[in-house]
Amino acid sequence: MKTLFGDLDELAIERIRMFAPPEGYWVAFSGGKDSVVLLDLVKRAGVPYEAHMAMIPPLDPPPLVRFVREQYPDVAMDWPPAPFFEVMKRQGYPTRSIRWCCREFKERGGSGRLVLTGIRWEESLRRSKRRMVEGCSTTRKRLLHPIIDWYTTDVWEYICARGIPYCSLYDEGFRRIGCVGCPMVRDDAALARWPHIREAWERTFTWLYENAARHPKPSINDLPARWSSADALFNAWLERDRSLVGDLEDAECMLFV
Protein backbone atom coordinates (compact mmCIF):
# COMPACT_ATOMS: atom_id res chain seq x y z
CA MET A 1 0.00 0.00 0.00
CA LYS A 2 1.87 3.05 -1.28
CA THR A 3 1.98 6.31 0.68
CA LEU A 4 4.24 9.35 0.73
CA PHE A 5 6.38 7.39 3.18
CA GLY A 6 6.58 4.16 1.19
CA ASP A 7 4.79 0.87 1.70
CA LEU A 8 2.82 1.39 4.91
CA ASP A 9 1.75 -2.24 5.17
CA GLU A 10 5.24 -3.59 4.57
CA LEU A 11 6.57 -1.31 7.31
CA ALA A 12 3.95 -2.63 9.75
CA ILE A 13 4.79 -6.22 8.80
CA GLU A 14 8.48 -5.53 9.37
CA ARG A 15 7.70 -4.14 12.82
CA ILE A 16 5.72 -7.26 13.66
CA ARG A 17 8.54 -9.52 12.51
CA MET A 18 11.20 -7.47 14.28
CA PHE A 19 9.68 -7.80 17.75
CA ALA A 20 8.17 -11.29 17.42
CA PRO A 21 8.74 -13.26 20.65
CA PRO A 22 9.51 -17.01 20.56
CA GLU A 23 6.24 -17.83 22.34
CA GLY A 24 4.24 -15.77 19.85
CA TYR A 25 2.14 -12.62 20.13
CA TRP A 26 -1.06 -12.15 22.09
CA VAL A 27 -3.22 -10.26 19.57
CA ALA A 28 -5.88 -8.04 21.16
CA PHE A 29 -8.77 -8.47 18.75
CA SER A 30 -12.06 -6.58 18.96
CA GLY A 31 -13.65 -7.27 15.58
CA GLY A 32 -13.39 -3.60 14.69
CA LYS A 33 -11.79 -2.19 11.55
CA ASP A 34 -8.35 -1.66 13.09
CA SER A 35 -8.13 -5.13 14.58
CA VAL A 36 -9.13 -6.94 11.37
CA VAL A 37 -6.32 -5.04 9.61
CA LEU A 38 -3.93 -5.87 12.43
CA LEU A 39 -4.74 -9.58 12.29
CA ASP A 40 -4.31 -9.68 8.52
CA LEU A 41 -0.88 -8.07 8.88
CA VAL A 42 0.10 -10.59 11.55
CA LYS A 43 -0.89 -13.46 9.26
CA ARG A 44 1.09 -11.95 6.40
CA ALA A 45 4.10 -11.56 8.70
CA GLY A 46 4.12 -15.32 9.26
CA VAL A 47 4.86 -15.09 12.98
CA PRO A 48 3.34 -17.24 15.76
CA TYR A 49 0.36 -15.66 17.50
CA GLU A 50 -2.91 -16.27 19.27
CA ALA A 51 -5.79 -13.84 18.84
CA HIS A 52 -8.17 -13.13 21.72
CA MET A 53 -11.37 -11.13 21.95
CA ALA A 54 -12.22 -10.02 25.49
CA MET A 55 -15.99 -10.31 25.83
CA ILE A 56 -18.16 -8.03 28.00
CA PRO A 57 -21.58 -9.66 28.08
CA PRO A 58 -24.10 -8.26 27.41
CA LEU A 59 -22.50 -5.04 26.13
CA ASP A 60 -20.98 -6.45 22.94
CA PRO A 61 -23.15 -5.50 19.93
CA PRO A 62 -24.87 -8.70 18.72
CA PRO A 63 -23.93 -8.18 15.02
CA LEU A 64 -20.29 -7.81 16.06
CA VAL A 65 -20.33 -11.09 17.98
CA ARG A 66 -21.94 -12.88 15.01
CA PHE A 67 -19.41 -11.36 12.62
CA VAL A 68 -16.44 -12.57 14.64
CA ARG A 69 -17.89 -16.05 15.07
CA GLU A 70 -18.58 -16.38 11.34
CA GLN A 71 -15.50 -14.70 9.87
CA TYR A 72 -12.86 -15.29 12.56
CA PRO A 73 -13.58 -18.69 14.17
CA ASP A 74 -9.89 -18.98 15.11
CA VAL A 75 -10.16 -15.98 17.46
CA ALA A 76 -10.61 -17.10 21.06
CA MET A 77 -13.53 -15.42 22.79
CA ASP A 78 -12.50 -14.88 26.40
CA TRP A 79 -15.51 -14.77 28.71
CA PRO A 80 -15.28 -13.00 32.08
CA PRO A 81 -15.96 -14.76 35.39
CA ALA A 82 -18.98 -12.51 36.07
CA PRO A 83 -21.45 -10.53 33.91
CA PHE A 84 -20.81 -6.82 33.55
CA PHE A 85 -23.87 -5.60 35.44
CA GLU A 86 -23.16 -7.84 38.42
CA VAL A 87 -19.70 -6.30 38.64
CA MET A 88 -21.21 -2.83 38.25
CA LYS A 89 -23.30 -3.37 41.38
CA ARG A 90 -20.04 -3.81 43.31
CA GLN A 91 -17.87 -1.27 41.54
CA GLY A 92 -20.39 1.48 40.79
CA TYR A 93 -20.91 2.98 37.37
CA PRO A 94 -17.82 3.41 35.15
CA THR A 95 -16.67 6.93 34.28
CA ARG A 96 -14.26 8.30 31.72
CA SER A 97 -11.47 8.49 34.27
CA ILE A 98 -12.37 5.40 36.34
CA ARG A 99 -13.04 2.67 33.82
CA TRP A 100 -12.83 -0.45 35.92
CA CYS A 101 -14.67 -2.09 33.02
CA CYS A 102 -11.58 -1.79 30.81
CA ARG A 103 -9.33 -3.07 33.59
CA GLU A 104 -11.51 -6.01 34.63
CA PHE A 105 -12.80 -7.02 31.20
CA LYS A 106 -10.89 -5.70 28.19
CA GLU A 107 -7.36 -5.64 29.64
CA ARG A 108 -7.38 -8.80 31.70
CA GLY A 109 -5.72 -11.04 29.10
CA GLY A 110 -2.14 -11.28 27.93
CA SER A 111 -0.36 -10.88 31.26
CA GLY A 112 3.36 -11.40 30.84
CA ARG A 113 3.05 -11.43 27.05
CA LEU A 114 3.90 -9.13 24.17
CA VAL A 115 0.47 -7.83 23.14
CA LEU A 116 -0.33 -6.47 19.68
CA THR A 117 -3.02 -3.79 19.43
CA GLY A 118 -4.59 -1.60 16.75
CA ILE A 119 -4.07 1.67 18.64
CA ARG A 120 -3.40 4.63 16.33
CA TRP A 121 -2.17 8.18 16.97
CA GLU A 122 -4.99 9.74 14.95
CA GLU A 123 -7.70 8.41 17.28
CA SER A 124 -7.28 10.88 20.14
CA LEU A 125 -5.01 13.51 21.69
CA ARG A 126 -3.87 11.08 24.35
CA ARG A 127 -3.17 8.33 21.88
CA SER A 128 -1.13 10.77 19.81
CA LYS A 129 1.36 10.73 22.70
CA ARG A 130 1.63 6.95 22.89
CA ARG A 131 4.76 5.14 21.74
CA MET A 132 4.90 2.26 19.31
CA VAL A 133 6.46 -0.01 21.95
CA GLU A 134 5.35 0.32 25.57
CA GLY A 135 5.44 -1.56 28.84
CA CYS A 136 2.90 -1.94 31.65
CA SER A 137 4.34 -2.79 35.07
CA THR A 138 0.98 -3.57 36.71
CA THR A 139 0.01 -6.27 34.21
CA ARG A 140 3.57 -7.29 33.23
CA LYS A 141 2.60 -6.75 29.61
CA ARG A 142 4.58 -5.29 26.79
CA LEU A 143 2.60 -3.57 24.04
CA LEU A 144 3.35 -3.16 20.35
CA HIS A 145 1.16 -0.95 18.17
CA PRO A 146 2.35 -1.68 14.59
CA ILE A 147 -0.23 0.54 12.84
CA ILE A 148 0.08 3.42 15.29
CA ASP A 149 0.97 5.89 12.50
CA TRP A 150 -1.87 4.90 10.16
CA TYR A 151 -4.77 7.21 9.36
CA THR A 152 -8.36 6.02 9.18
CA THR A 153 -8.21 6.40 5.40
CA ASP A 154 -5.22 4.03 5.36
CA VAL A 155 -7.18 1.46 7.36
CA TRP A 156 -10.13 1.50 4.97
CA GLU A 157 -7.89 1.54 1.91
CA TYR A 158 -6.14 -1.58 3.19
CA ILE A 159 -9.45 -3.31 3.93
CA CYS A 160 -10.72 -2.59 0.42
CA ALA A 161 -7.46 -3.50 -1.31
CA ARG A 162 -7.19 -6.83 0.52
CA GLY A 163 -10.90 -7.65 0.45
CA ILE A 164 -10.97 -8.10 4.22
CA PRO A 165 -14.44 -8.74 5.70
CA TYR A 166 -15.56 -6.15 8.25
CA CYS A 167 -18.54 -5.74 10.55
CA SER A 168 -21.67 -4.51 8.79
CA LEU A 169 -22.34 -1.94 11.53
CA TYR A 170 -19.87 0.40 9.83
CA ASP A 171 -22.08 0.42 6.73
CA GLU A 172 -25.01 1.39 8.97
CA GLY A 173 -23.22 4.55 10.07
CA PHE A 174 -21.60 3.38 13.29
CA ARG A 175 -18.20 5.03 13.70
CA ARG A 176 -17.25 2.81 16.62
CA ILE A 177 -18.51 -0.64 17.50
CA GLY A 178 -17.34 -1.10 21.06
CA CYS A 179 -19.38 -1.66 24.20
CA VAL A 180 -22.98 -0.45 24.02
CA GLY A 181 -23.33 2.34 26.58
CA CYS A 182 -19.61 3.09 26.92
CA PRO A 183 -19.11 6.32 28.95
CA MET A 184 -16.52 7.49 26.44
CA VAL A 185 -19.21 8.43 23.91
CA ARG A 186 -22.85 9.44 23.80
CA ASP A 187 -24.33 6.21 22.55
CA ASP A 188 -27.93 7.08 21.67
CA ALA A 189 -28.03 5.12 18.40
CA ALA A 190 -26.61 1.94 19.88
CA LEU A 191 -28.83 2.07 22.98
CA ALA A 192 -31.88 2.57 20.75
CA ARG A 193 -30.82 -0.26 18.45
CA TRP A 194 -30.49 -2.73 21.34
CA PRO A 195 -33.13 -1.76 23.92
CA HIS A 196 -32.48 -4.85 26.06
CA ILE A 197 -28.99 -3.49 26.78
CA ARG A 198 -30.39 -0.04 27.55
CA GLU A 199 -32.87 -1.63 29.96
CA ALA A 200 -30.07 -3.54 31.68
CA TRP A 201 -28.17 -0.27 32.22
CA GLU A 202 -31.33 1.35 33.59
CA ARG A 203 -32.09 -1.53 35.97
CA THR A 204 -28.57 -1.44 37.38
CA PHE A 205 -28.60 2.33 37.87
CA THR A 206 -31.90 1.92 39.68
CA TRP A 207 -30.36 -0.75 41.89
CA LEU A 208 -27.41 1.52 42.72
CA TYR A 209 -29.73 4.40 43.54
CA GLU A 210 -31.95 2.28 45.78
CA ASN A 211 -28.99 0.69 47.57
CA ALA A 212 -26.79 3.79 47.72
CA ALA A 213 -26.94 4.21 51.51
CA ARG A 214 -25.31 0.84 52.20
CA HIS A 215 -23.01 0.70 49.20
CA PRO A 216 -19.29 0.38 50.10
CA LYS A 217 -18.21 3.14 47.70
CA PRO A 218 -18.60 6.76 48.90
CA SER A 219 -19.18 7.92 45.31
CA ILE A 220 -22.43 5.92 45.34
CA ASN A 221 -23.60 6.90 48.84
CA ASP A 222 -24.55 10.46 47.87
CA LEU A 223 -26.51 9.63 44.70
CA PRO A 224 -29.95 10.23 46.33
CA ALA A 225 -28.74 13.60 47.58
CA ARG A 226 -27.57 14.62 44.10
CA TRP A 227 -30.43 13.20 42.02
CA SER A 228 -34.15 13.34 42.77
CA SER A 229 -34.87 9.85 41.46
CA ALA A 230 -33.33 6.83 39.79
CA ASP A 231 -34.83 8.06 36.49
CA ALA A 232 -33.13 11.42 36.90
CA LEU A 233 -29.83 9.68 37.58
CA PHE A 234 -30.12 7.45 34.54
CA ASN A 235 -31.15 10.32 32.28
CA ALA A 236 -28.12 12.27 33.43
CA TRP A 237 -26.02 9.24 32.52
CA LEU A 238 -27.60 9.09 29.07
CA GLU A 239 -26.82 12.77 28.56
CA ARG A 240 -23.23 12.13 29.69
CA ASP A 241 -23.47 14.67 32.52
CA ARG A 242 -19.91 15.68 33.38
CA SER A 243 -20.56 15.27 37.11
CA LEU A 244 -21.22 11.60 36.40
CA VAL A 245 -18.83 10.61 33.63
CA GLY A 246 -16.13 13.30 33.75
CA ASP A 247 -14.45 15.15 30.91
CA LEU A 248 -13.65 13.44 27.63
CA GLU A 249 -10.48 15.51 27.25
CA ASP A 250 -8.93 13.76 30.25
CA ALA A 251 -9.87 10.26 29.20
CA GLU A 252 -8.60 7.56 26.90
CA CYS A 253 -10.55 4.50 25.90
CA MET A 254 -8.55 1.29 25.84
CA LEU A 255 -10.90 -0.46 23.47
CA PHE A 256 -9.41 -1.36 20.14
CA VAL A 257 -11.89 -0.31 17.48
Side-chain angles (χ1 to χ4, degrees):
M1 187 169 61
K2 295 291 186 180
T3 71
L4 292 175
F5 305 100
D7 294 310
L8 202 57
D9 55 341
E10 292 297 336
L11 177 59
I13 290 171
E14 182 59 30
R15 290 168 177 169
I16 293 169
R17 289 172 176 164
M18 182 184 305
F19 292 97
E23 70 276 13
Y25 286 110
W26 178 287
V27 179
F29 187 85
S30 70
K33 64 184 187 306
D34 298 329
S35 65
V36 299
V37 166
L38 174 66
L39 188 54
D40 188 73
L41 292 167
V42 173
K43 291 177 179 178
R44 289 178 62 193
V47 298
Y49 73 92
E50 52 185 286
H52 292 258
M53 180 173 177
M55 309 299 291
I56 307 188
L59 302 187
D60 301 297
L64 174 64
V65 177
R66 288 195 297 270
F67 164 72
V68 175
R69 283 176 171 163
E70 292 170 1
Q71 298 293 336
Y72 294 93
D74 56 324
V75 172
M77 289 185 169
D78 296 342
W79 299 89
F84 173 83
F85 290 110
E86 289 303 311
V87 179
M88 182 175 161
K89 289 179 179 180
R90 300 195 304 268
Q91 295 282 9
Y93 55 85
T95 70
R96 286 169 172 165
S97 59
I98 305 175
R99 288 183 314 286
W100 52 262
C101 44
C102 286
R103 181 183 68 251
E104 295 200 15
F105 290 87
K106 286 295 182 184
E107 301 166 21
R108 69 183 184 277
S111 178
R113 300 286 297 277
L114 181 50
V115 178
L116 287 181
T117 86
I119 286 177
R120 297 183 293 109
W121 282 329
E122 185 195 30
E123 294 176 294
S124 70
L125 178 60
R126 280 208 169 191
R127 288 194 175 185
S128 70
K129 300 175 183 178
R130 300 286 294 269
R131 290 176 291 183
M132 186 181 71
V133 182
E134 300 176 309
C136 180
S137 58
T138 57
T139 60
R140 298 187 301 110
K141 294 179 189 178
R142 293 170 296 153
L143 302 170
L144 173 62
H145 318 302
I147 62 170
I148 196 168
D149 50 353
W150 287 37
Y151 291 98
T152 301
T153 52
D154 298 323
V155 171
W156 284 115
E157 181 181 342
Y158 185 88
I159 287 173
C160 292
R162 296 277 299 170
I164 300 173
Y166 60 88
C167 183
S168 61
L169 289 173
Y170 289 115
D171 293 334
E172 296 180 28
F174 283 79
R175 295 185 61 188
R176 62 174 297 280
I177 53 175
C179 299
V180 178
C182 175
M184 296 298 295
V185 294
R186 183 164 175 170
D187 216 4
D188 296 344
L191 288 169
R193 170 75 179 273
W194 298 290
H196 68 286
I197 302 179
R198 184 188 189 280
E199 291 165 3
W201 276 105
E202 186 172 14
R203 285 195 303 271
T204 311
F205 268 97
T206 299
W207 187 94
L208 288 173
Y209 187 88
E210 293 176 347
N211 293 274
R214 55 181 180 273
H215 199 278
K217 290 188 175 292
S219 59
I220 303 300
N221 298 153
D222 66 346
L223 288 180
R226 295 168 56 197
W227 309 99
S228 59
S229 66
D231 286 343
L233 169 64
F234 184 60
N235 287 332
W237 168 263
L238 293 179
E239 295 294 326
R240 296 300 184 251
D241 187 296
R242 287 187 176 184
S243 66
L244 280 173
V245 299
D247 291 322
L248 186 58
E249 291 78 6
D250 298 327
E252 177 187 9
C253 185
M254 290 303 294
L255 304 186
F256 314 124
V257 299

